[in-house]
Amino acid sequence: MLQNEKYIEFAEDNTVEVLCLQEVDKGMKDASQKAKSGTYEAKDETGKTVTYLKEYAGMSVEHLNTLNSSPAGQYNDSGFNPYIAIVDPHTLKKMKGLTKGSAAGGLMDAVAEAKATLNKEHGPSMKRSTLLKFQAGVKAVEESLTKGGSAKALGEYRKLEASIAKEPQALKDEAKKLEEKLLDAAKSDLDKADGFIAAGDMKAASALLKPFASLLKGTDLEARLKELLEKTKPAPAAK
């Protein structure tokens, strides 16, 4: 059922799954060709070579053991295996249990019903694709901060901020954490521009300040930016 293509597509945006599979180590001790053919090697995110399981692509025995030691197994009070529990992520209480023989369509219906209940009680849920897109955006902004400076990163952040205007508050809260980091970097740039002004280098100060333009509007740095920009303007000609 979990290998059903329609279910995989559905699960991508509607579920977070925790698999509890016992005695994986015992099964892997079998040195037969069948056991060996059930694995493959690939690099993980750190570049380390890891042995993964073909039946659970992208997962190793260690991954499965870690999942099996999670609290997820406690929801099976049926005495049957396999067993699927749909759990409220807010309270960790079981909402529904399905025993062996459940079809993919039935599981999708049960998940959709639970999702509707949770959305009604806790507000709109978030698609995994939305979260992944947001995380990619955050990474791009952070790379921009490192390579291009705070003004460029803030410009990209404002676009990211606008893109999640209708998304759940949890995502907006994460975005605010990034904004705080960017504003700290912007403050450092304003301090640097202030130093240029004090040294009489208005050209360097202006070049550093102008890219911020309206990017600091509505922040605690807005007034200071205006003040510094005023200082970079040429003095009125004497009459």
Side-chain angles (χ1 to χ4, degrees):
M1 175 178 62
L2 298 182
Q3 295 177 339
N4 180 286
E5 289 187 7
K6 288 185 177 179
Y7 178 76
I8 291 172
E9 183 178 350
F10 172 83
E12 178 65 22
D13 269 340
N14 293 281
T15 71
V16 175
E17 300 178 1
V18 179
L19 173 69
C20 290
L21 191 63
Q22 297 179 344
E23 298 186 336
V24 179
D25 289 315
K26 182 179 179 180
M28 292 304 296
K29 286 181 180 179
D30 180 3
S32 68
Q33 187 61 38
K34 182 178 179 181
K36 291 179 181 178
S37 65
T39 64
Y40 66 98
E41 290 189 345
K43 302 282 187 181
D44 66 11
E45 61 277 7
T46 67
K48 178 183 176 182
T49 299
V50 179
T51 300
Y52 292 111
L53 304 171
K54 289 183 179 178
E55 190 76 8
Y56 305 99
M59 300 189 72
S60 65
V61 171
E62 290 73 21
H63 289 146
L64 291 178
N65 285 338
T66 299
L67 288 172
N68 190 53
S69 64
S70 77
Q74 69 186 10
Y75 295 103
N76 185 358
D77 52 10
S78 70
F80 295 101
N81 281 305
Y83 180 84
I84 299 172
I86 299 176
V87 178
D88 182 335
H90 302 276
T91 64
L92 298 184
K93 291 183 179 179
K94 182 168 68 175
M95 300 179 70
K96 188 170 186 176
L98 296 92
T99 56
K100 58 183 178 180
S102 300
L107 176 56
M108 288 189 283
D109 288 343
V111 169
E113 181 182 344
K115 181 179 178 179
T117 298
L118 292 171
N119 286 349
K120 184 177 180 180
E121 294 177 353
H122 303 283
S125 55
M126 186 192 313
K127 290 184 177 181
R128 182 180 278 109
S129 57
T130 299
L131 177 60
L132 292 175
K133 184 178 179 180
F134 171 75
Q135 290 173 335
V138 169
K139 184 178 180 181
V141 170
E142 290 178 333
E143 289 178 351
S144 182
L145 176 61
T146 301
K147 299 177 181 179
S150 62
K152 183 179 179 182
L154 266 171
E156 294 183 8
Y157 169 78
R158 293 304 177 204
K159 295 177 184 177
L160 177 64
E161 184 180 43
S163 73
I164 61 170
K166 296 182 180 180
E167 299 301 336
Q169 187 59 43
L171 208 60
K172 295 175 184 178
D173 290 342
E174 285 301 309
K176 282 297 178 185
K177 294 177 184 177
L178 176 59
E179 183 184 30
E180 290 174 5
K181 179 179 179 179
L182 297 176
L183 291 177
D184 283 343
K187 181 180 180 301
S188 294
D189 280 341
L190 296 191
D191 290 341
K192 187 176 181 180
D194 201 1
F196 285 142
I197 292 171
D201 192 347
M202 301 304 173
K203 184 177 180 180
S206 181
L208 189 57
L209 294 170
K210 284 184 177 180
F212 287 103
S214 61
L215 296 175
L216 297 179
K217 188 175 181 179
T219 72
D220 293 340
L221 297 177
E222 181 181 9
R224 189 176 180 213
L225 174 62
K226 290 181 179 180
E227 177 187 344
L228 292 173
L229 283 170
E230 282 295 322
K231 291 181 179 181
T232 64
K233 292 180 179 179
K239 293 182 180 179

